[in-house]
Amino acid sequence: MKFDLHCHSHYSDGKHSPSFLVHRALANQVTHLAITDHDCTAAIGEVKDISAMLTLIPGVEISCEWQRHEIHIVGLCINSEELQLESLLLAQQAGRRARLKEMGNELQKLGVDGLIEYCAKLTCKSLSRSHVADFLVEKGIVKNRQKAFKTFLTKGGRIFVEPNWCDMTEAIDAIHNAKGLSVLAHPTRYPLSKRKLTNLVSNFAIAGGDAIEVSYGNVDLHTQKHLTEIALGKSLHVSAGSDFHDSNAHWTDIGKYPTLEERAEKNAIWEHPKWHS
Ligand code: AMP
Ligand code: MN
Ligand code: MN
Ligand code: MN
């Protein structure tokens, strides 16, 4: 069995359709795939019929606030039609639209028009700063996405707008209410000190969190080992996924992440008593 429990389609900030992701997963021998779009579950229904050859795990990645930091919680095995989760995701999507509008206004003040019109043409149901970055690149204002984030879109950037995400505990509760399992995504991608990260994991466990991602993208083995120790120390399960967005980014692919250690495999989320597929 080969799992990829974290990736994105064009319904959030991924470049490809859900069916592309499924075919890519099959080509890469993935047997269990979760498409986990940011605050959106539109991909789930679309691939139901073409996924007979692999197990599709209904998923989502929710942007949250924890002690004024932004963190991401992945929900797996969710019932995407459950009302509490659905209304939380609709509120998050509305917040994203409002944020985009404000960024559009800030851009207009700098003499750049057309962000809202550009975004209206996208397949996306959950707009993000990545789309603003693409717009800035397309307009020739910056050379690439990285520059767009650095100069315009991160805290202190020229058009940065504070997000208004739900609290971490709300996301965990909504995932549980939808019969899912909650996973703290890519813990080392947050700008947190070691002590703060330990604190976050403790709070996540107290809030009923189920697992921690310990292997993703290009995480190094030392980090993976450290995260596995933190997870097992708190009796949490571990999870893994590529966080794939785009086949043009050559360092990432569906199913591509460092292999889990044996002790992690034994405590993988797919061994959780509540895992159902
Ligand atoms: P948002 O959901 O609007 O906060 O946008 C965040 C998304 O932008 C993330 O899911 C990443 O895919 C992407 N992202 C965040 N930071 C960067 C960065 N520095 N460079 C490129 N992409 C980024
Ligand atoms: Mn993303
Ligand atoms: Mn994320
Ligand atoms: Mn992600």
Side-chain angles (χ1 to χ4, degrees):
M1 290 195 294
K2 189 169 166 185
F3 293 78
D4 189 332
L5 301 179
H6 188 157
C7 69
H8 297 274
S9 82
H10 62 194
Y11 287 121
S12 64
D13 61 351
K15 275 277 184 292
H16 308 285
S17 67
S19 102
F20 176 99
L21 298 177
V22 169
H23 288 113
R24 185 103 177 178
L26 286 169
N28 291 353
Q29 285 81 49
V30 168
T31 57
H32 294 70
L33 177 73
I35 302 176
T36 53
D37 278 316
H38 298 287
D39 298 314
C40 162
T41 57
I44 294 172
E46 199 174 292
V47 279
K48 257 190 194 139
D49 299 335
I50 60 159
S51 65
M53 289 160 76
L54 58 66
T55 304
L56 215 77
I57 312 294
V60 68
E61 180 176 16
I62 305 179
S63 295
C64 311
E65 189 178 319
W66 172 76
Q67 295 192 355
R68 283 196 250 138
H69 296 283
E70 179 178 323
I71 58 140
H72 293 178
I73 301 289
V74 163
L76 297 171
C77 307
I78 50 165
N79 170 7
S80 58
E81 283 164 17
E82 194 283 321
L83 287 183
Q84 183 185 338
L85 179 64
E86 203 177 10
S87 76
L88 182 138
L89 298 181
L90 287 175
Q92 296 269 109
Q93 288 166 25
R96 285 173 172 278
R97 281 194 299 277
R99 189 185 192 193
L100 187 95
K101 198 167 170 222
E102 276 193 63
M103 287 190 274
N105 291 342
E106 291 304 312
L107 269 181
Q108 266 182 335
K109 286 184 202 160
L110 300 174
V112 183
D113 291 323
L115 175 66
I116 303 301
E117 293 76 5
Y118 169 87
C119 288
K121 289 190 201 127
L122 301 170
T123 317
C124 177
K125 291 187 189 297
S126 190
L127 294 159
S128 81
R129 286 176 295 160
S130 305
H131 301 105
V132 184
D134 290 346
F135 171 74
L136 292 171
V137 174
E138 201 174 290
K139 279 265 181 183
I141 292 161
V142 286
K143 261 207 282 207
N144 54 45
R145 261 193 186 188
Q146 287 304 330
K147 277 246 185 270
F149 270 91
K150 192 157 185 271
T151 313
F152 287 87
L153 299 170
T154 40
K155 222 177 188 114
R158 296 185 72 184
I159 60 161
F160 178 75
V161 174
E162 284 290 346
N164 186 18
W165 306 128
C166 65
D167 193 72
M168 175 175 79
T169 53
E170 282 177 72
I172 295 172
D173 288 349
I175 290 166
H176 285 165
N177 205 37
K179 303 274 180 282
L181 291 165
S182 55
V183 182
L184 177 63
H186 45 61
T188 52
R189 293 213 187 125
Y190 313 123
L192 298 174
S193 66
K194 257 192 168 171
R195 202 171 60 85
K196 265 273 178 194
L197 181 57
T198 310
N199 213 342
L200 166 61
V201 174
S202 291
N203 283 195
F204 174 75
I206 289 165
D210 300 289
I212 298 185
E213 267 184 8
V214 301
S215 186
Y216 39 91
N218 47 4
V219 87
D220 64 69
L221 291 178
H222 174 77
T223 304
Q224 195 196 133
K225 197 163 175 268
H226 176 62
L227 291 173
T228 301
E229 262 151 33
I230 297 183
L232 300 187
K234 291 276 170 206
S235 303
L236 293 164
H237 284 68
V238 308
S239 188
S242 60
D243 203 3
F244 177 85
H245 284 70
D246 179 2
S247 57
N248 290 323
H250 296 297
W251 52 272
T252 158
D253 203 349
I254 293 277
K256 190 171 167 187
Y257 55 82
T259 315
L260 293 177
E261 291 175 71
E262 206 179 310
R263 60 181 174 161
E265 279 277 354
K266 282 193 188 136
N267 290 285
I269 190 152
W270 49 88
E271 304 293 347
H272 194 290
K274 289 191 181 147
W275 177 265
H276 46 92
S277 53

